[in-house]
Amino acid sequence: MDTLTLIKPDDFHLHLRDGSELASVARDSARRFARAIIMPNLAPPVVSVRQALEYRRRILDCLPDNPDFNPLMTLYLTDNTPRDEVDRVAETGEVYAFKYYPAGATTHSASGVTDIGKVMPVLEYMAQRDVPLLLHGEVTDAEVDIFDREKVFIERILSPLVENINALRIVLEHVTTRDAVQFVSGASDRIAATITPHHLMLNRNAMLAEGINPHHYCLPILKRERHRQALVAAATSGNPKFFLGTDSAPHSARAKEKPPCCAGIYNACAAIELYASVFDAMDSLDTLEQFASRNGARFYGLPLNTQKISLRREEWQIPDVINFAGATLVPFRAGGSCRWKLVDEH
Ligand code: NCD
Ligand code: ZN
């Protein structure tokens, strides 16, 4: 099979930033994806439906050539999110979920939740109104080893949360461990997970073994090979609980290369092509459309996209650098080759 035609996929976890940074990166996603769940971790964060709709307008204004791209907005949950805001989310067609960042867990998470106890009432209300919760699933306690933070989050936070509010729909975002795959696989249909291309392709040696590579630093951090293998098995399995979310998160080369390195990997310029390469290597191209175009839509209760994209088996080179608001951005696999190429949309 040398050409692959898919229902145009959706990216269920994307950072687009704002202003001229947004303008530099938005098209890479809009060419490949029909819809994307837009992360609200701007500075300051997007905490109200009003702000989300203004941000959505700024995204669309950057994409005059991609009028069909549909940004699915989210709000940033804080210790003080009011119930009214949950009502507004449930009642607007353009905001789809709340994002939970444990305070201090990652880029622009300072306003995140300091203690899950503080948000239990609002989470219960989200369950009542059937508004999904998207989790950055890592604890932030200094005494927990960084490689264990997802596993400990599942034990201490997620598992009790699912028990206490079993009607809440939850996406455990960018899963990185076998523990997460097992938890999500064994949980109810209301619990799902997204998986990034970089966590499917790399283990932590890619960040640490041949000299520290800041361009492979993201959160949750890359894990051991056996975890990567569990992610690949989950993504390619066809299990409807697992779907595509790139976590494409651009930072300038300067911000990545000057300590302390910012967490985040930019993969939007080759995202569906890289996923296709992973599925191809596993002889699983037949399940790519489920993972990329069907499972997430089903979880979010969205119609399948009517557009299609095609990929061709052809080596091409991922750019060394991309212009990022006048600065330099080093994308994932910069200068490397990719064996599936995007053909024009149709
Ligand atoms: C993200 C970013 O840069 O906004 N970084 C990352 O490493 N994934 C934030 C996030 O999703 O954790
Ligand atoms: Zn993210």
Side-chain angles (χ1 to χ4, degrees):
M1 187 163 42
D2 289 324
T3 308
L4 192 59
T5 297
L6 302 173
I7 295 173
K8 195 170 184 185
D10 299 311
D11 181 352
F12 283 100
H13 185 122
L14 175 63
H15 299 269
L16 282 179
R17 313 305 189 206
D18 208 349
S20 46
E21 294 183 349
L22 163 64
S24 307
V25 298
R27 194 166 170 274
D28 280 343
S29 294
R31 279 185 69 202
R32 291 168 176 82
F33 298 102
R35 300 174 288 215
I37 282 275
I38 309 298
M39 287 296 123
N41 64 331
L42 302 181
V46 179
V47 295
S48 68
V49 167
R50 186 183 55 76
Q51 288 173 309
L53 296 180
E54 287 167 7
Y55 182 29
R56 185 170 190 275
R57 174 47 41 211
R58 297 197 293 281
I59 296 168
L60 293 174
D61 286 348
C62 287
L63 292 167
D65 300 330
N66 304 79
D68 293 343
F69 181 70
N70 185 1
L72 312 174
M73 308 311 291
T74 63
L75 299 191
Y76 188 112
L77 190 74
T78 72
D79 286 350
N80 305 313
T81 298
R83 281 164 68 109
D84 291 0
E85 214 56 60
V86 179
D87 287 328
R88 281 190 279 274
V89 169
E91 281 147 30
T92 135
E94 277 140 352
V95 184
Y96 285 81
F98 278 89
K99 177 67 190 272
Y100 177 122
Y101 289 101
T106 185
T107 305
H108 296 156
S109 63
S111 321
V113 175
T114 58
D115 174 357
I116 183 128
K118 295 195 176 156
V119 292
M120 282 307 273
V122 83
L123 297 182
E124 273 163 22
Y125 193 56
M126 283 168 56
Q128 264 178 50
R129 305 264 4 213
D130 199 24
V131 173
L133 177 69
L134 315 183
L135 291 176
H136 184 106
E138 289 191 293
V139 294
T140 53
D141 316 46
E143 74 276 13
V144 178
D145 188 276
I146 188 164
F147 293 103
D148 296 333
R149 287 181 178 187
E150 183 173 279
K151 180 177 189 297
V152 174
F153 182 90
I154 293 168
E155 290 161 5
R156 287 192 196 162
I157 310 285
L158 179 55
S159 200
L161 175 62
V162 168
E163 295 262 306
N164 287 333
I165 317 184
N166 59 32
L168 186 61
R169 276 194 295 150
I170 296 176
V171 183
L172 184 57
E173 300 284 356
H174 41 51
V175 287
T176 62
T177 57
R178 188 164 71 179
D179 311 83
V181 167
Q182 283 172 349
F183 180 86
V184 171
S185 301
S188 80
D189 287 353
R190 287 181 293 282
I191 317 299
T194 55
I195 308 181
T196 77
H198 40 282
H199 290 103
L200 289 174
M201 298 180 82
L202 304 181
N203 65 36
R204 64 194 192 180
N205 281 6
M207 177 180 56
L208 298 171
E210 285 168 43
I212 289 180
N213 184 345
H215 298 289
H216 289 162
Y217 175 65
C218 63
L219 289 171
I221 203 155
L222 296 172
K223 305 296 193 302
R224 288 177 178 278
E225 177 61 9
R226 68 179 155 89
H227 293 295
R228 187 192 70 81
Q229 287 173 6
L231 301 176
V232 171
T236 56
S237 66
N239 184 336
K241 287 168 159 289
F242 296 99
F243 45 86
L244 187 158
T246 63
D247 197 16
S248 184
H251 293 275
S252 70
R254 196 180 143 74
K256 293 292 292 174
E257 290 165 11
K258 186 170 129 311
C261 162
C262 289
I265 293 179
Y266 183 71
N267 58 37
C269 59
I272 189 61
E273 300 91 319
L274 292 171
Y275 282 112
S277 306
V278 170
F279 277 63
D280 192 11
M282 296 299 289
D283 252 334
S284 296
L285 285 172
D286 56 327
T287 57
L288 180 62
E289 189 178 73
Q290 276 163 270
F291 177 77
S293 318
R294 291 179 180 272
N295 295 348
R298 182 166 126 166
F299 181 86
Y300 278 89
L302 297 166
L304 295 179
N305 294 314
T306 51
Q307 310 98 299
K308 304 232 156 154
I309 59 162
S310 291
L311 302 173
R312 193 166 53 221
R313 194 191 293 277
E314 181 186 322
E315 291 251 331
W316 63 288
Q317 242 200 358
I318 295 174
D320 291 317
V321 291
I322 287 174
N323 172 23
F324 186 50
T328 299
L329 169 66
V330 177
F332 183 47
R333 313 270 295 195
S337 66
C338 178
R339 58 184 126 116
W340 283 92
K341 189 167 186 196
L342 184 69
V343 185
D344 278 335
E345 302 163 43
H346 51 102

